Amino acid sequence: MWQEFVKQFITRKGYISVLDGLVVTVEIAVLGLLIGVLIGTLIAVVRVMPKYKTLPRVLDKICGCYVELFRGTPMVVQLLIGYWVLLPAMDIQVNSGVPVAIIMFGLNSGAYVSEIMRGGINSVDPGQMEAGRAVGLPYATTMMKIVVPQAVKNILPTLGNEFIVLIKETSIVSFIAVTDLYKSFKQLGDPTYNYTVPYLMLALTYLIMVLVISAGVRALETKLKKSEK
Amino acid sequence: MEKEVTLNETVLSVRGLTKKFGNLEVLRGLDLDIRDGEQIAIIGPSGCGKSTFLRCLNCMEDPTSGSILFDGEDIADMKVDINKHREHIGMVFQQFNLFNNKTVIENIMLAPVYVGVRDLKAKKRKNFFTKLLNVFRKEKKALLPIETTEAQIKAAAKEKAEALLHRIGLEEKANVYPSTLSGGQKQRIAIIRALAMNPKVILFDEPTSALDPEMVGEVLDLMKQLAREGMTMIIVTHEMGFAREVADRVLFIDEGQIKEQGSPEELFKNPKDERLKEFLSKVL
């Protein structure tokens, strides 16, 4: 069993496809999170805006629908719809599902990050916004320069958690024919139909990645805390 | 402290200011003229609307009705660009509200740099379009003169911030974050942050109420200095001694109205309003 795996992994150059898969997985998760944070921040800012006027109220409703839509359907379904429904509908040809996966994970994660970010923004002392407005800074500038940086610091652990969820959830991208970490390990077992070692190794790889991320987030937290002393 | 305040021009002119929170009527029609170089203290029992009144003066709270004339414009009008006017109305808060994610010097520089760079960019944009249209014009339009660069704006703001920090003796705190400062230091930095914008008037919202007793003095001293230099100040305060010493005029607000106003001597020695007498008997 073990020898079979070693044979596939080393002698038949399986490690190359595994590394490629790893890159794809990380790529989708990191870029997805980046898009997610961008979208999430934007939505959160819209949703905490004061709502005296009509425009913020309409935008708030739209953002609300977006969040409910992406939280209310499974990620796999969103991925399938993105690849098999939206792409043909827009008449776009792609060589690989990776860009689709990145965008869909970004959109999905944006919905979750927006709720996290909203909590973070609400946790910042309202006096910070007032002080910014009082010196003549516009709402958006104060938000981006003063409030959001403090909010991000408050929600860093939760954001790290979102990244962990995201990187594990990318294991479904084989649904749209992307060869990620899961698929590349599966291929190692395919010649013999014996998946024991490949799948255990797959689990171990994910576990190591997650542990590295948690350590990174913790280090970042300590660093940010120190910067204010 | 005798001063010729009547000759100076009016900085802020408030007429018929009201403010409602839902059905609660907090301010019921206040009128006030504030002259350049005048120091006004606002006193009154808690919940009387004095802080709300102050916060209405720079539209931190939007007035329900009434007008506030500043710089020839009614800033209570929602159509007016309030940010432009707030640059010239400083505000000091009870809770200091220094930007926690910025160092002390960044706190002071942030708004001047923002305003300078914004105006510079606006000029450049305008010049670009003038140039573009000049191509089609027979008589070329003159470009706006651009004398500064972004780097110069930043350098000037930094120099000014350093000078202000030097003034309050906190130069060595320039690069630390606010969380390491004492309350008194924070409040003095908040005051010079307001000063960095060269405001025409500074609003103080109970500036010493959140301070430990031993730090009240340093903040009041700085405010007295500003008063002596002729800064126009409106101060909501519980420090009756300070109001008496510094203010040219004291307003007593109760039930959302100015019940009595006058010079400190007048108001503290011969209060006429019943509520004011009662209030003074409690606090003095």
Side-chain angles (χ1 to χ4, degrees), chain B residues 17-279:
Chain B
L17 186 72
T18 68
K19 173 73 191 173
K20 279 185 193 165
F21 289 113
N23 286 324
L24 184 69
E25 215 176 353
V26 186
L27 301 177
R28 312 171 184 220
L30 288 91
D31 300 313
L32 182 67
D33 282 314
I34 298 142
R35 291 178 185 287
D36 191 26
E38 201 177 17
Q39 286 88 42
I40 294 182
I42 302 177
I43 59 171
S46 59
C48 71
K50 54 188 190 306
S51 272
T52 308
F53 175 58
L54 192 80
R55 290 165 59 81
C56 278
L57 291 180
N58 66 349
C59 297
M60 281 326 260
E61 305 286 354
D62 291 312
T64 308
S65 71
S67 69
I68 302 164
L69 215 62
F70 179 77
D71 241 1
E73 273 195 288
D74 179 10
I75 57 174
D77 187 345
M78 291 293 270
K79 289 187 201 83
V80 168
D81 180 11
I82 187 66
N83 296 328
K84 204 89 186 131
H85 291 289
R86 281 192 184 135
E87 289 162 23
H88 307 292
I89 307 178
M91 189 165 198
V92 175
F93 299 87
Q94 184 177 354
Q95 300 294 342
F96 332 125
N97 293 350
L98 292 181
F99 305 130
N100 293 327
N101 58 331
K102 303 269 176 203
T103 61
V104 166
I105 196 141
E106 284 168 350
N107 260 277
I108 305 169
M109 286 166 57
L110 182 66
V113 170
Y114 170 80
V115 168
V117 171
R118 180 200 60 194
D119 290 347
L120 181 70
K121 280 188 180 152
K123 263 190 190 172
K124 279 186 179 163
R125 210 174 313 132
K126 216 166 168 199
N127 276 350
F128 173 76
F129 284 113
T130 318
K131 260 189 213 161
L132 202 72
L133 291 175
N134 270 351
V135 176
F136 307 104
R137 284 193 185 113
K138 275 194 180 142
E139 280 181 33
K140 308 289 183 207
K141 245 183 158 177
L143 297 181
L144 297 167
I146 291 179
E147 288 121 2
T148 51
T149 61
E150 239 178 273
Q152 279 172 328
I153 290 170
K154 276 184 192 141
K158 186 150 193 248
E159 201 177 314
K160 174 142 202 210
E162 275 162 355
L164 284 165
L165 277 172
H166 176 72
R167 171 183 180 161
I168 57 169
L170 291 177
E171 307 97 314
E172 80 277 14
K173 299 284 186 194
N175 295 312
V176 306
Y177 284 89
S179 58
T180 58
L181 302 171
S182 75
Q185 290 170 334
K186 281 185 197 169
Q187 193 61 302
R188 284 186 291 147
I189 287 162
I191 292 173
I192 61 167
R193 178 176 68 178
L195 278 181
M197 295 293 284
N198 299 320
K200 291 183 180 155
V201 51
I202 302 184
L203 314 174
F204 292 84
D205 190 1
E206 303 192 24
T208 57
S209 298
L211 292 174
D212 290 338
E214 75 263 32
M215 289 167 185
V216 171
E218 58 188 80
V219 172
L220 291 184
D221 282 341
L222 178 60
M223 289 169 65
K224 282 178 201 166
Q225 265 182 42
L226 295 184
R228 273 198 298 276
E229 287 162 17
M231 175 57 76
T232 314
M233 298 157 78
I234 306 172
I235 309 153
V236 169
T237 185
H238 292 295
E239 302 277 335
M240 295 303 149
F242 175 75
R244 185 180 279 185
E245 187 187 343
V246 170
D248 299 306
R249 192 151 44 121
V250 180
L251 306 183
F252 174 67
I253 293 185
D254 190 33
E255 293 168 333
Q257 285 167 320
I258 299 178
K259 284 285 168 73
E260 192 168 338
Q261 60 175 305
S263 70
E265 298 87 53
E266 230 172 81
L267 198 111
F268 286 114
K269 292 211 180 92
N270 295 311
K272 292 173 196 79
D273 185 78
E274 278 309 311
R275 296 280 308 202
L276 175 57
K277 282 181 196 168
E278 194 190 317
F279 175 72

Side-chain angles (χ1 to χ4, degrees), chain A residues 81-131:
Chain A
I81 290 179
Y83 192 71
W84 296 110
V85 180
L86 295 183
L87 274 193
M90 288 186 289
D91 213 13
I92 301 172
Q93 306 282 331
V94 286
N95 308 331
S96 120
V98 176
V100 182
I102 290 172
I103 291 170
M104 291 318 283
F105 272 97
L107 291 173
N108 178 278
S109 148
Y112 286 93
V113 173
S114 80
E115 289 297 293
I116 299 171
M117 190 65 89
R118 184 153 73 134
I121 289 173
N122 286 333
S123 75
V124 174
D125 175 16
Q128 297 286 312
M129 175 53 86
E130 283 190 354

